[in-house]
Amino acid sequence: MGAYADTYERSINDPEGFWLEAARGVSWTKAPSKALDDSRAPLYRWFPDGELNTAYNALDRHVEAGRGDQPALIWDSPVTSSQRTYTYAALTEEVARFAGGLASLGVGKGDRVIIYMPMVPEAVVAMLACARIGAVHSVVFGGFAPKELAARIEDARPTAIVAASCGIEPGRVVEYKPIIEEALATTEHQPDRVVVLQREASRCELTGRDVDWNDLMATATPADPVPVAATDPLYVLYTSGTTGKPKGVVRDCGGHAVALTWSMGAVYDIHPGDVWWTASDVGWVVGHSYIVYAPLLIGATTVLYEGKPVGTPDAGAFWRVISQHGVTALFTAPTALRAVKRVDPDAAELAKYDLSGFTTLFMAGERLDPETYHWAHDKLGVPVVDHWWQTETGWPIAANLRGLEPMPVKPGSATMPVPGWNVQILDQSGERLPAGQEGAIAIELPLPPGALPTLWGDDERFKDAYLSRYEGYYLTGDSGYVDSDGYLFVMGRTDDVINVAGHRLSTGSMEAVLAAHPAVAECAVIGVADQLKGQLPRGFVVLKAGVDIPEQQLRDELVAAVRRDIGPVAAFRDVSVVEALPKTRSGKVLRKTMRGIADGRDEPVPSTIEDPNVLTALTEVLRPR
Ligand code: COA
Ligand code: AMP
């Protein structure tokens, strides 16, 4: 057997032995004697008797091993014309100090801290500082509106919020403090303190419970890492589900550290001292796992980029960062490359930079479409590797394992299941489907270390949302098939989750916003294919009888409402007023059929349809423009 097949078999047939061996890559204050705890199945826990500190593993141990002078983090911010490098020694010192500062504000083990910050090094410091004292961070992406922030505050009930005064988007400064105040004005839960990093682009007024980041750092006593149980939560990261209420994905400490450490070598072929760059945002799981934790856990150098693929200042930005910092491998979303390709189709900018040390381009967040794959591969001349994962899983489910056994790339496929993930394609009744047939992608339990053990404070919702559809399996919400060579093709979501420029959003929560408008009787939001962003939301509303409102005014109000309640990141700009929505006889809106027509497919008319004429009338509006 090859290295991949051998390792995969072992991970599935002997998870206990496999993961205890992988656990040796981590420093424990109490080494685990056991890998899997299945006593509460289908809720599983990993390394039940292990104890460790994740921040110690990401920082101090590298200093102790002689890497103190090696860069740990390079911040590159074209939007502020700034760059800053932290060595492992310096980052450890900053994190210990901020951890002490948080402790002085009353934040202790198990307390939650909401982090609402742009791509600044202090965001990484705040995350690791929480980890150092056993507090549980919950990072909220800056593109979300006050209402989304409020929902997360209410669910996580943080002791403190750590924020920056502003974020910087091309052409506009996003003031964070008013967003926080607006959110807190609506929440029953109130944090004790709000720590604010003042940025030059826009300082804010501090009052009452606010604390200036610099003041806190000036007086703080550095804190030592606190050992915590492997099963204790490291963070909660909220993600869009099918309903409007975001799901608090819990990450435990031990399984996460073990899985991410293992993944850096096996999946990415990245090793201590390598320079690694993930162009995402710390507000997403990709940012948590592969900007912050994984590269630092193994002693690599991570690049933190506050900028865009294009316009900051040009379409050569990615190539400039790679050459300037000696990046070995880049991980980004296909949408970012499509943005570069649109501005610079011949990749003329590439010629300006030396990319001789660049070995691999990793892509995830959405399906890597073959056209973008070929463009990137032709222009860069390095392996372009698609891999598939989710907020819930925390690390890749399927990938081309560059450090274990690189495989030929099949454009459109995320390659093979990663060791630890028992991926199966199931039909409606839960039967396994043969090669070539598309079905629901499910993962046989237990999920490997690093995957979510539950949802924050809600085991029942976790079971309902993921474990109840097929007994003994985790439901990914994606559909796809495995070909006769064992390659996995992920084709798209089976639920109401859409992916807009690599950002995961819920059409259900957009529908809730539209439905709240006084003129709207009923509505539907679907994701439709978009050349740049992969998908874009499109709304359809039916007016209440007797309502008289100019159509353009209504459309403007609805677009503004989604921006106000969900955030600019939803990119909701397209809404049509229609006579009726196509439904089944039991009253379910035929969103899947609408999606198919909008994407230009020949959709069969479902036999359960209530009135085929409604669908016929809508088809012209739906067809791709
Ligand atoms: N804070 C505040 N606002 C934000 C934001 C943030 N962190 N991130 C995005 N926004 C805003 C943008 O300013 C924009 O607002 P606008 O409507 O006023 O223009 C809106 O949200 C949509 O932003 P974005 O999705 O970034 O679209 P864009 O058209 O500005 O740029 C791309 C398109 C493709 C260049 C950009 O989406 C991109 O870089 N995508 C990569 C995403 C990624 O890495 N995802 C992580 C998955 S691995
Ligand atoms: P998120 O939780 O934001 O990481 O989004 C996860 C979802 O994004 C998955 O369920 C998929 O629908 C989609 N996704 C992520 N990576 C890929 C990929 N490589 N191929 C296809 N879909 C992907």
Side-chain angles (χ1 to χ4, degrees):
M1 268 204 280
Y4 165 75
D6 181 42
T7 309
Y8 185 77
E9 289 300 320
R10 205 152 52 84
S11 76
I12 300 301
N13 297 332
D14 176 23
E16 190 70 20
F18 184 87
W19 289 113
L20 275 180
E21 191 182 312
R24 292 202 215 117
V26 165
S27 298
W28 302 83
T29 47
K30 182 164 175 270
S33 64
K34 184 173 162 51
L36 182 65
D37 172 6
D38 58 5
S39 59
R40 291 181 60 224
L43 303 178
Y44 295 90
R45 302 191 312 166
W46 288 95
F47 311 114
D49 61 355
E51 280 180 13
L52 78 168
N53 182 280
T54 300
Y56 170 84
N57 272 277
L59 297 166
D60 310 59
R61 71 163 170 162
H62 305 308
V63 178
E64 289 165 13
R67 292 188 172 276
D69 293 334
Q70 180 201 304
L73 183 139
I74 299 171
W75 178 51
D76 186 306
S77 170
V79 294
T80 59
S81 306
S82 319
Q83 295 199 357
R84 209 187 296 160
T85 297
Y86 293 79
T87 62
Y88 268 100
L91 193 60
T92 306
E93 159 68 23
E94 287 279 300
V95 168
R97 193 167 283 282
F98 192 66
L102 284 177
S104 74
L105 299 179
V107 178
K109 187 170 163 181
D111 291 340
R112 274 80 58 214
V113 175
I114 290 243
I115 299 175
Y116 189 58
M117 297 180 104
M119 291 287 284
V120 289
E122 288 81 357
V124 180
V125 170
M127 291 166 77
L128 291 165
C130 289
R132 194 167 187 87
I133 56 174
V136 180
H137 62 69
S138 187
V139 183
V140 179
F141 177 64
F144 280 125
K147 217 166 165 180
E148 292 285 332
L149 177 60
R152 287 152 174 80
I153 292 171
E154 211 68 288
D155 196 68
R157 310 185 77 73
T159 306
I161 294 180
V162 181
S165 57
C166 66
I168 298 154
E169 284 296 293
R172 105 191 131 94
V173 172
V174 182
E175 313 273 356
Y176 280 21
K177 197 66 194 325
I179 296 177
I180 294 168
E181 294 303 338
E182 202 181 321
L184 290 177
T186 65
T187 55
E188 180 253 322
H189 177 81
Q190 295 293 316
D192 296 338
R193 309 305 284 261
V194 178
V195 182
V196 181
L197 174 76
Q198 294 280 21
R199 303 191 77 194
E200 285 315 314
S202 178
R203 300 173 73 83
C204 60
E205 195 189 338
L206 302 186
T207 54
R209 63 187 150 193
D210 301 341
V211 184
D212 186 298
W213 173 288
N214 288 336
D215 293 347
L216 187 64
M217 288 296 264
T219 53
T221 310
D224 286 333
V226 174
V228 297
T231 52
D232 279 342
L234 174 69
Y235 69 76
V236 180
L237 178 59
Y238 288 87
T239 191
S240 303
T242 46
T243 66
K245 189 173 183 281
K247 291 175 178 153
V249 168
V250 174
R251 197 75 61 211
D252 61 3
C253 292
H256 173 255
V258 170
L260 291 195
T261 301
W262 187 84
S263 75
M264 277 313 264
V267 177
Y268 298 102
D269 199 20
I270 292 293
H271 304 280
D274 286 345
V275 182
W276 160 261
W277 177 25
T278 299
S280 175
D281 189 288
V282 289
W284 305 114
V285 69
V286 171
H288 279 63
S289 294
Y290 292 105
I291 295 175
V292 183
Y293 285 108
L296 297 178
L297 281 167
I298 64 147
T301 300
T302 186
V303 176
L304 182 77
Y305 176 69
E306 188 182 26
K308 302 270 175 181
V310 293
T312 58
D314 54 37
F318 274 22
W319 323 137
R320 196 262 307 151
V321 172
I322 292 172
S323 75
Q324 187 172 354
H325 304 300
V327 171
T328 302
L330 165 66
F331 174 174
T332 190
T335 190
L337 280 201
R338 289 196 297 267
V340 174
K341 175 171 163 255
R342 195 161 75 161
V343 176
D344 183 16
D346 299 326
E349 291 286 342
L350 258 177
K352 298 184 189 164
Y353 303 99
D354 174 11
L355 264 63
S356 52
F358 182 58
T359 62
T360 323
L361 176 63
F362 292 96
M363 309 290 269
E366 54 174 323
R367 179 166 178 263
L368 172 58
D369 55 289
E371 198 185 324
T372 307
Y373 165 79
H374 287 298
W375 182 83
H377 187 254
D378 290 352
K379 302 298 175 211
L380 289 164
V382 298
V384 176
V385 178
D386 186 13
H387 62 322
W388 167 62
W389 51 301
Q390 316 179 308
T391 306
E392 289 86 344
T393 68
W395 63 292
I397 312 165
N400 194 325
L401 288 105
R402 307 305 298 172
L404 190 62
E405 185 185 343
M407 298 191 181
V409 168
K410 287 196 188 188
S413 168
T415 315
M416 306 265 174
V418 169
W421 301 95
N422 190 347
V423 176
Q424 301 294 338
I425 310 293
L426 304 181
D427 71 9
Q428 288 284 345
S429 59
E431 293 299 317
R432 294 185 179 182
L433 286 167
Q437 283 196 33
E438 186 172 337
I441 313 180
I443 298 161
E444 194 174 315
L445 299 176
L447 300 178
L452 81 171
T454 189
L455 292 176
W456 181 248
D458 205 343
D459 288 348
E460 287 313 308
R461 190 175 179 207
F462 172 60
K463 289 191 227 167
D464 281 355
Y466 301 103
L467 310 182
S468 63
R469 178 66 184 83
Y470 299 111
E471 204 188 324
Y473 292 90
Y474 163 86
L475 182 75
T476 65
D478 283 303
S479 69
Y481 65 92
V482 173
D483 76 4
S484 52
D485 295 327
Y487 278 63
L488 178 69
F489 289 74
V490 181
M491 303 310 289
R493 297 285 305 195
T494 55
D495 55 16
D496 299 333
V497 168
I498 59 169
N499 220 303
V500 180
H503 309 313
R504 174 165 160 183
L505 298 161
S506 150
T507 53
S509 62
M510 293 183 214
E511 288 180 2
V513 177
L514 302 189
H517 192 287
V520 172
E522 55 181 354
C523 64
V525 176
I526 56 171
V528 299
D530 178 73
Q531 288 253 318
L532 174 67
K533 297 197 175 189
Q535 279 186 305
L536 274 178
R538 265 190 83 182
F540 300 87
V541 296
V542 179
L543 295 188
K544 283 181 183 156
V547 164
D548 185 18
I549 180 172
E551 211 171 296
Q552 187 57 46
Q553 180 189 332
L554 175 65
R555 281 204 294 264
D556 291 347
E557 285 176 13
L558 293 173
V559 167
V562 173
R563 193 176 171 95
R564 180 195 64 218
D565 287 353
I566 296 177
V569 70
F572 182 83
R573 296 207 172 84
D574 192 343
V575 55
S576 310
V577 179
V578 295
E579 286 297 318
L581 294 171
K583 289 183 188 164
T584 61
R585 283 188 286 277
S586 57
K588 214 167 161 280
V589 175
L590 290 162
R591 292 184 181 77
K592 189 167 168 280
T593 310
M594 290 170 66
R595 235 173 18 227
I597 298 170
D599 286 347
R601 288 194 294 272
D602 278 333
E603 280 291 322
V605 177
S607 58
T608 53
I609 197 162
E610 185 188 30
D611 180 356
N613 295 328
V614 173
L615 189 60
T616 312
L618 196 62
T619 299
E620 277 319 299
V621 187
L622 278 167
R623 286 249 180 265
R625 299 154 185 169

